[in-house]
Amino acid sequence: NLVLRSAGKSPGSSYDAGRMTDLNSLTFEDLKSITVTPEIFDALCVKSEFRDILRDLDIPDEEQIDLFDTLDVDGGGTIDLEELIQVIWKLRGDAKRSDIVSVGLMVRNLQVAIHHLEASLPQRLNQ
């Protein structure tokens, strides 16, 4: 059985994704508290229905490899509903020039911030 862990429930409480009646009875608040582990995601990825849903969302097969790491925005080791929606929205369709420019600008911004931190580090350590 495939189990989705719910952060808002008591320990040992879970939803069985193999039974649609359980999923159909979930409220939006329940959905917001569900987290998906890498093991659960791997189990979903072998199901053709799940891969078909990803394709319907314009996520091609080649981008489905290591998709868990992409979806885990905060690096916490699990995916919650907010992360899932945020990343799926951004993954849809082909990359546009604005996407590439945006990533380049973010990387440049990070480089400048790291350079400033590096320059101020000796002074901060002496205080």
Side-chain angles (χ1 to χ4, degrees), residues 75-102:
T78 59
I79 302 168
D80 61 31
L81 182 64
E82 185 177 344
E83 288 174 311
L84 181 65
I85 292 170
Q86 182 182 41
V87 176
I88 294 292
W89 184 263
K90 291 182 179 184
L91 281 177
R92 296 192 67 190
D94 295 331
K96 296 177 236 133
R97 187 177 343 166
S98 62
D99 296 328
I100 296 166
V101 169
S102 176

Short mmCIF file of all heavy atoms in Angstrom, two decimals, residues 75-102:
data_model
loop_
_atom_site.label_atom_id
_atom_site.label_comp_id
_atom_site.label_asym_id
_atom_site.label_seq_id
_atom_site.Cartn_x
_atom_site.Cartn_y
_atom_site.Cartn_z
N GLY A 75 14.30 21.76 0.05
CA GLY A 75 15.34 20.79 0.38
C GLY A 75 15.07 20.02 1.65
O GLY A 75 15.97 19.41 2.23
N GLY A 76 13.81 19.98 2.09
CA GLY A 76 13.45 19.33 3.34
C GLY A 76 13.31 17.81 3.26
O GLY A 76 13.10 17.16 4.27
N GLY A 77 13.41 17.25 2.06
CA GLY A 77 13.30 15.80 1.93
C GLY A 77 11.89 15.29 1.73
O GLY A 77 11.67 14.10 1.61
N THR A 78 10.92 16.21 1.70
CA THR A 78 9.54 15.85 1.40
C THR A 78 8.95 16.94 0.50
O THR A 78 9.49 18.02 0.40
CB THR A 78 8.67 15.75 2.69
OG1 THR A 78 8.69 17.00 3.36
CG2 THR A 78 9.16 14.64 3.60
N ILE A 79 7.85 16.59 -0.14
CA ILE A 79 7.13 17.55 -0.99
C ILE A 79 5.78 17.80 -0.36
O ILE A 79 5.06 16.85 -0.04
CB ILE A 79 6.93 16.97 -2.41
CG1 ILE A 79 8.25 16.60 -3.06
CG2 ILE A 79 6.16 17.96 -3.27
CD1 ILE A 79 8.08 15.78 -4.32
N ASP A 80 5.45 19.06 -0.19
CA ASP A 80 4.10 19.39 0.27
C ASP A 80 3.30 19.97 -0.89
O ASP A 80 3.83 20.18 -1.98
CB ASP A 80 4.12 20.32 1.49
CG ASP A 80 4.79 21.65 1.22
OD1 ASP A 80 4.73 22.15 0.08
OD2 ASP A 80 5.37 22.21 2.17
N LEU A 81 2.04 20.22 -0.65
CA LEU A 81 1.15 20.68 -1.72
C LEU A 81 1.63 22.00 -2.33
O LEU A 81 1.62 22.17 -3.54
CB LEU A 81 -0.27 20.83 -1.18
CG LEU A 81 -1.32 21.27 -2.20
CD1 LEU A 81 -1.49 20.22 -3.30
CD2 LEU A 81 -2.65 21.53 -1.52
N GLU A 82 2.08 22.92 -1.49
CA GLU A 82 2.53 24.22 -1.99
C GLU A 82 3.73 24.07 -2.92
O GLU A 82 3.78 24.68 -3.99
CB GLU A 82 2.89 25.14 -0.83
CG GLU A 82 3.25 26.53 -1.26
CD GLU A 82 3.54 27.45 -0.09
OE1 GLU A 82 3.18 27.11 1.05
OE2 GLU A 82 4.13 28.51 -0.33
N GLU A 83 4.70 23.23 -2.52
CA GLU A 83 5.87 23.01 -3.38
C GLU A 83 5.44 22.37 -4.69
O GLU A 83 5.92 22.76 -5.76
CB GLU A 83 6.88 22.08 -2.69
CG GLU A 83 7.63 22.70 -1.55
CD GLU A 83 8.50 21.70 -0.81
OE1 GLU A 83 8.00 20.61 -0.45
OE2 GLU A 83 9.67 22.02 -0.60
N LEU A 84 4.57 21.40 -4.61
CA LEU A 84 4.12 20.69 -5.81
C LEU A 84 3.47 21.65 -6.80
O LEU A 84 3.83 21.69 -7.98
CB LEU A 84 3.13 19.59 -5.42
CG LEU A 84 2.59 18.74 -6.55
CD1 LEU A 84 3.69 17.93 -7.19
CD2 LEU A 84 1.48 17.83 -6.05
N ILE A 85 2.55 22.46 -6.33
CA ILE A 85 1.86 23.40 -7.21
C ILE A 85 2.83 24.43 -7.78
O ILE A 85 2.82 24.73 -8.98
CB ILE A 85 0.71 24.10 -6.46
CG1 ILE A 85 -0.38 23.07 -6.16
CG2 ILE A 85 0.15 25.27 -7.26
CD1 ILE A 85 -1.46 23.56 -5.22
N GLN A 86 3.70 24.96 -6.91
CA GLN A 86 4.65 26.00 -7.33
C GLN A 86 5.55 25.51 -8.46
O GLN A 86 5.74 26.18 -9.47
CB GLN A 86 5.48 26.42 -6.12
CG GLN A 86 6.47 27.52 -6.37
CD GLN A 86 7.26 27.83 -5.11
OE1 GLN A 86 7.66 26.94 -4.38
NE2 GLN A 86 7.49 29.11 -4.87
N VAL A 87 6.11 24.32 -8.30
CA VAL A 87 7.07 23.82 -9.29
C VAL A 87 6.37 23.32 -10.55
O VAL A 87 6.83 23.60 -11.65
CB VAL A 87 7.97 22.72 -8.69
CG1 VAL A 87 8.88 22.13 -9.74
CG2 VAL A 87 8.78 23.30 -7.54
N ILE A 88 5.26 22.61 -10.40
CA ILE A 88 4.54 22.12 -11.58
C ILE A 88 4.15 23.31 -12.46
O ILE A 88 4.28 23.27 -13.68
CB ILE A 88 3.29 21.30 -11.19
CG1 ILE A 88 3.67 20.01 -10.48
CG2 ILE A 88 2.42 21.02 -12.42
CD1 ILE A 88 4.37 18.98 -11.32
N TRP A 89 3.68 24.39 -11.84
CA TRP A 89 3.30 25.59 -12.60
C TRP A 89 4.48 26.12 -13.41
O TRP A 89 4.34 26.51 -14.56
CB TRP A 89 2.79 26.66 -11.63
CG TRP A 89 2.29 27.88 -12.32
CD1 TRP A 89 2.98 29.04 -12.53
CD2 TRP A 89 1.02 28.07 -12.92
NE1 TRP A 89 2.20 29.94 -13.20
CE2 TRP A 89 0.98 29.37 -13.46
CE3 TRP A 89 -0.10 27.26 -13.04
CZ2 TRP A 89 -0.12 29.87 -14.12
CZ3 TRP A 89 -1.20 27.77 -13.69
CH2 TRP A 89 -1.20 29.06 -14.23
N LYS A 90 5.66 26.11 -12.80
CA LYS A 90 6.84 26.66 -13.48
C LYS A 90 7.42 25.69 -14.51
O LYS A 90 8.09 26.12 -15.44
CB LYS A 90 7.90 27.05 -12.45
CG LYS A 90 7.48 28.24 -11.63
CD LYS A 90 8.53 28.66 -10.65
CE LYS A 90 8.05 29.88 -9.88
NZ LYS A 90 9.04 30.41 -8.99
N LEU A 91 7.18 24.40 -14.34
CA LEU A 91 7.73 23.40 -15.26
C LEU A 91 6.92 23.27 -16.55
O LEU A 91 7.42 22.74 -17.53
CB LEU A 91 7.77 22.02 -14.60
CG LEU A 91 8.90 21.74 -13.63
CD1 LEU A 91 8.73 20.37 -13.01
CD2 LEU A 91 10.24 21.84 -14.32
N ARG A 92 5.71 23.74 -16.54
CA ARG A 92 4.83 23.54 -17.69
C ARG A 92 5.37 24.24 -18.92
O ARG A 92 5.80 25.38 -18.87
CB ARG A 92 3.43 24.05 -17.38
CG ARG A 92 2.79 23.25 -16.27
CD ARG A 92 1.36 23.53 -16.15
NE ARG A 92 0.71 23.01 -17.37
CZ ARG A 92 -0.53 23.25 -17.68
NH1 ARG A 92 -1.26 24.00 -16.90
NH2 ARG A 92 -1.06 22.78 -18.77
N GLY A 93 5.35 23.52 -20.02
CA GLY A 93 5.74 24.09 -21.31
C GLY A 93 7.24 24.22 -21.48
O GLY A 93 8.03 23.79 -20.65
N ASP A 94 7.60 24.80 -22.60
CA ASP A 94 9.01 24.97 -22.93
C ASP A 94 9.60 26.17 -22.18
O ASP A 94 8.89 27.09 -21.80
CB ASP A 94 9.17 25.21 -24.44
CG ASP A 94 8.75 24.00 -25.26
OD1 ASP A 94 8.88 22.87 -24.75
OD2 ASP A 94 8.28 24.20 -26.40
N ALA A 95 10.92 26.13 -22.01
CA ALA A 95 11.62 27.26 -21.40
C ALA A 95 11.55 28.44 -22.36
O ALA A 95 11.70 28.29 -23.56
CB ALA A 95 13.06 26.89 -21.11
N LYS A 96 11.31 29.61 -21.80
CA LYS A 96 11.27 30.82 -22.60
C LYS A 96 12.55 31.61 -22.35
O LYS A 96 13.25 31.39 -21.38
CB LYS A 96 10.06 31.67 -22.20
CG LYS A 96 8.74 31.00 -22.50
CD LYS A 96 7.59 31.85 -22.01
CE LYS A 96 6.80 31.02 -21.09
NZ LYS A 96 6.34 31.37 -19.89
N ARG A 97 12.82 32.50 -23.23
CA ARG A 97 14.02 33.34 -23.08
C ARG A 97 13.99 34.05 -21.73
O ARG A 97 15.01 34.17 -21.05
CB ARG A 97 14.11 34.34 -24.22
CG ARG A 97 15.39 35.10 -24.22
CD ARG A 97 15.55 36.04 -25.39
NE ARG A 97 14.62 35.72 -26.47
CZ ARG A 97 14.36 36.51 -27.47
NH1 ARG A 97 14.94 37.67 -27.56
NH2 ARG A 97 13.51 36.17 -28.41
N SER A 98 12.82 34.52 -21.31
CA SER A 98 12.70 35.23 -20.03
C SER A 98 13.05 34.32 -18.86
O SER A 98 13.61 34.78 -17.86
CB SER A 98 11.29 35.80 -19.85
OG SER A 98 10.33 34.77 -19.82
N ASP A 99 12.74 33.00 -18.96
CA ASP A 99 13.11 32.06 -17.91
C ASP A 99 14.63 31.97 -17.78
O ASP A 99 15.18 31.98 -16.68
CB ASP A 99 12.55 30.65 -18.20
CG ASP A 99 11.04 30.60 -18.22
OD1 ASP A 99 10.41 31.38 -17.47
OD2 ASP A 99 10.50 29.78 -18.98
N ILE A 100 15.29 31.88 -18.93
CA ILE A 100 16.74 31.74 -18.94
C ILE A 100 17.41 33.01 -18.42
O ILE A 100 18.33 32.96 -17.61
CB ILE A 100 17.23 31.38 -20.36
CG1 ILE A 100 16.67 30.01 -20.75
CG2 ILE A 100 18.74 31.41 -20.45
CD1 ILE A 100 16.78 29.66 -22.20
N VAL A 101 16.91 34.16 -18.86
CA VAL A 101 17.45 35.44 -18.38
C VAL A 101 17.23 35.57 -16.88
O VAL A 101 18.12 36.00 -16.14
CB VAL A 101 16.82 36.62 -19.15
CG1 VAL A 101 17.17 37.95 -18.50
CG2 VAL A 101 17.26 36.60 -20.60
N SER A 102 16.06 35.19 -16.41
CA SER A 102 15.74 35.27 -14.99
C SER A 102 16.70 34.43 -14.15
O SER A 102 17.21 34.89 -13.13
CB SER A 102 14.30 34.81 -14.76
OG SER A 102 14.00 34.80 -13.39
#
